[in-house]
Amino acid sequence: MPLPNLNSFRDDLRLSTWLLVGACLQSLLVLSFPRYIALIPAALVLGARFLVNLLMTQGLIHNPGIDGVYQGRATAMIPLEDGSFPEKAGNHGIVLFVVSTRSSQYAWSPLPLAELSDLFLQELQLTVQRSAQGRFAPGYIAAGDYFQAMLAEAERNDLQWGYLGKTSCLIATDDEASNTLVWLTYWKTVDQLHDFARGGPHRAGWEWYTSVAKKYPYIGIGHEMYSVPKGHWENIYSNLRPFGMGQIKHFDYSRKLKEGESENSRLVSPLTAAKGSTWRSMLSRMGQVEKA
C-alpha cells in the first residue's frame, strides 16, 4: 500500500509543536536504550542527508529537485480540440477561479486565568481545550469531501462545464499553522462556470456549508473570479517545474485510444517552447502587436 503524502500535514501544527514531538520521541529512545544507541538514529539520518546533499552539489549523484523541470523558456497555451497548439497566442478567453479555505481552530489555547492560582502556571499553562486542530477540526473533513466531489464532477464532465484544470494546493504563510489553503482553477467561460455552480455537487456543498456555518464558525471559505478576454492573458516559465496553467493537462479527444490504453493516454501538456517572435514578449504572447 503506498504511503500517504505527508507534505500536506506540515501546516497542521506549529513548528515548535513538531520540534516538541521530535524531542519527546528522542527522550523515549534515551530512556529506553543506552545513550550512545539512542543517538544513532538521528545521527545516521542527519549524516546521510548531509552526504547526499554534498554528492548532489558535486554532480556525483542525481538531484531529484530537477525532476520534471522544463529546461529553457516555455509558455502554456490552451490546445485545440485535436491536441495541437494554435498558431496565434491568446487564442480565446479564460476564466480564473480562485478557491480558498481555512480552519481557524487551534488545538492549544489557555484556560481561564481565574481557574489558576499559581503565577508560574498562569505563565506556562497550555492545555487541549478543543478536540481537533486544523483539518481535523469538526466539520472540516466533511467540507473537504464536498470540495473533492465538486472537483471530481468538474473533471468527469470537463467539456460540459468548460473546466480546464487546477493547480496543486498553495499554502499561505501568515500564521505558524492552519494557514489559508488556495487552489487556482481554470475554466473556459463564465457561463459554464455558473452552470457548474448550479449543478448537483456544488449546490450540495453550498447547502451543507450554509447549514453548518454557525455551528462551525472556524471553517472559512472564499473565492475570487477573474474573466480574462481573448488576447489579454499570457505566461512564461524559464527552467521551472510546470505550475499554474503549465501544470494543467488537457484531453485530446480526437485521438483514438488503442487497446489497453487508458483515458490518461489522451492527456497533452499545454507547454510549448517559447521561441521565435510570437513568444518573445508579453504583448506578442497575448497575440497583440508590439508598440514601436
Side-chain angles (χ1 to χ4, degrees), residues 19 22 28 53 86 98 100 110 155 158 168 178 184 193 241 243 250 287:
L19 292 174
L28 288 175
N53 278 277
V98 183
S100 58
E155 292 174 353
D158 55 329
S168 51
S178 295
L184 308 182
L193 175 59
R241 184 174 293 171
F243 182 75
H250 302 269

Side-chain angles (χ1 to χ4, degrees), residues 106-171:
Y106 286 91
W108 301 95
S109 58
L111 284 172
L113 295 181
E115 297 183 10
L116 300 170
S117 57
D118 190 291
L119 180 62
F120 178 73
L121 290 180
Q122 288 181 18
E123 295 296 330
L124 298 180
Q125 49 74 35
L126 284 173
T127 186
V128 178
Q129 215 175 25
R130 294 168 178 158
S131 61
Q133 155 74 28
R135 81 183 69 205
F136 302 109
Y140 202 59
I141 292 180
D145 291 339
Y146 278 108
F147 180 60
Q148 292 300 324
M150 296 178 201
L151 289 177
E153 168 61 21
E155 292 174 353
R156 185 166 49 247
N157 298 298
D158 55 329
L159 291 179
Q160 178 183 355
W161 307 123
Y163 177 71
L164 296 173
K166 69 173 183 64
T167 65
S168 51
C169 179
L170 309 176
I171 303 178

Side-chain angles (χ1 to χ4, degrees), residues 167-246:
T167 65
S168 51
C169 179
L170 309 176
I171 303 178
T173 57
D174 302 301
D175 299 307
E176 289 185 84
S178 295
N179 283 283
T180 301
L181 308 180
V182 179
W183 293 264
L184 308 182
T185 67
Y186 301 89
W187 308 73
K188 289 183 178 180
T189 67
V190 173
D191 289 340
Q192 288 173 299
L193 175 59
H194 189 238
D195 289 341
F196 173 80
R198 292 184 297 182
H202 183 274
R203 180 168 293 278
W206 178 247
E207 289 177 351
W208 173 85
Y209 180 75
T210 54
S211 68
V212 301
K214 291 184 178 180
K215 182 180 179 181
Y216 305 134
Y218 47 83
I219 298 180
I221 61 173
H223 82 249
E224 298 178 11
M225 191 274 287
Y226 305 92
S227 178
V228 187
K230 174 182 177 180
H232 286 78
W233 61 269
E234 63 89 27
N235 52 68
I236 190 71
Y237 311 96
S238 181
N239 297 338
L240 189 68
R241 184 174 293 171
F243 182 75
M245 286 192 66

